[in-house]
Amino acid sequence: MRIWIKDPFAILADGAERGLVVDGSQIVECVPRGGSPSVAADATFDATRHVVLPGLVNAHHHFYQTLTRAHPAGEGKDLIGWLVAMERVWDRMTPEALRLAVRLALVECLLSGCTTTADHHNLFPPGLDGAVDIEVEEATALGVRMTVTRGSMGISEKDGGLQPDSIVQSADAILADSERVLTRYHDPERGAMIRIALAPCSPLAVPQRVLSDSAALAEAYDARLHCHLCQSPDEDVYAMQAFGKRSVDLLDDAGWLCPRTWVAHGIHFNEDEIVRLGHMGVAVCHLPAADMAFGVGICPTKELEAAGVAVGLGVDGSASNDSSNVMEAVRHALMLQRLRYGHAAISPYDALRWATEGGARCLGRDDIGRIAPGFEADLALYRLDEPRFSGAHDPVAALVRCGAHRADRVMVAGRWRVIDGRPEGVDLDALRAKHAAAAKAFL
Ligand SMILES: [Zn+2]
C-alpha cells in the first residue's frame, strides 16, 4: 500500500515540497516541487495544513517516574538530595504500577510527536524482575519504536553508595538479566521496533565488573551502552575520592569509550575528555529541562559537536522534568543553548536536528531521524491553527519558537499511531484515571 503524504504546508526534508511516499514501513520517495510520485499511489493523505517533521527521537527518560511528578519529597533539594529522597519513594514500585507508568509515558511521548524513545529503567526492587518485559509489551502494543535500556544500580548505602539496599542488585543478577533480555528482545536489524541497551545508572553506581562485562555483552549482541555521565560538578569530586579516577576514565577502563556508547547529560567534561569522546565516537544526550531544574550547568553542545560528538535530546525522567513532551524539549534546548552561546550560534533547526538525526545517532540507528528514501516512515505532523502560531512566518521554526506541544498526526513504521491528536487504540481518559489512582501509592 503506497500512501502519498501530499503537498505539506511545510516539511523538514530536502526535495520534498510535494511530500513523500510511504510503502509498508518505509519512505520510498520524496516528491519535489512540480513533481508527482514515480509510481501511482494507492492512497493520498492531504497534508496541506500540516508541518511534517521526521518523528522525534527521545534518547533518555525514566518512564516509572510519571507516577511521581511534582512530588513533594524531592522539592527544594539539590540533585543528590532529590535522588536520595525519591529513591525511597520509587522502591515501592510494583509491576502493575510500572505498566501504567510505561503506557502513560509512551502515549505522552507519542502525542508530542515522538516516534522512537529510549527508557532508562534502572529500578529493580523485589518483584519487579520483569520490568523490561513490561516495557517491551507496552511499546509493542502501542506501536512505538523503542530502545529499552536495562539499567542497574549495584552499590548500596551499606557499601558507601547512595541507593537504599531495596533497589540494588548483585553484579551477577544484573548481568544475568541483561543477557536474558538481550537474548529475548534485542533486534539489531534495520527497521527494528525493539532494541535493548545496557545501562548502569552511572559509572559510580555499579562495581567495575558490571561496566566491563556489560561492554562485552553489548559487543556480543551488537547492542548499545548507556549511562548518566557528568551531570553535576560534584560527580568527579566523588569519583576521585572513591575511585581515584574521573568518571570518563572509569568508563575508559571498562571499554566504554567506543561508538556503542551514548551518555545522558554530559555537562562537566574537561577539554581533553571532549576530544576523547569525539575521537572514540561516544554520543551525548542533552537533557535541558532536568539540567535547568537542578541548576547543574549547560551541556557544551558546540564544543562536543566540534569534537565530532553526536548530540541528541531527551526529556529525562518525569520526576525531574516533569513532562514527557519531546517537542517541548526541543524548545528548551533552543532556549538553554542560546543562553550559553548566544542567539546567532543556535537555531531552531539545530534543536530539531538534535531531536531527530542526533537522537538516531545516540541510539545507533541509520534508519530513522530523517525524511528520505530508505528511511523508516516515522513522521510527526503538526498544525499551526492555534492562536500561539498566528502570524508566524517560517512554519518549521514556528514549531520550536512558538512552542508546538501536540502533534495532530503521528506515523510509526508506516502506520498512523495518532489521528486528530488522539492515540490510536487507547482510551485516554481511562488510562489517566488508572494512572492517577496508581500514583496515590507513591505519596
Ligand atoms: Zn536520567
Side-chain angles (χ1 to χ4, degrees), residues 60-62 65 120 122 226 228 231 264-265 287 316-317 320:
H60 185 78
H61 202 321
H62 306 281
Q65 294 179 11
H120 190 168
N122 53 9
H226 182 53
H228 296 95
Q231 180 179 9
H265 300 287
L287 296 152
D316 209 353
S320 58

Side-chain angles (χ1 to χ4, degrees), residues 83-96:
L83 189 61
V84 167
M86 294 308 299
E87 282 176 336
R88 283 146 185 85
V89 174
W90 295 325
D91 71 354
R92 64 192 81 150
M93 189 66 62
T94 63
E96 297 76 21

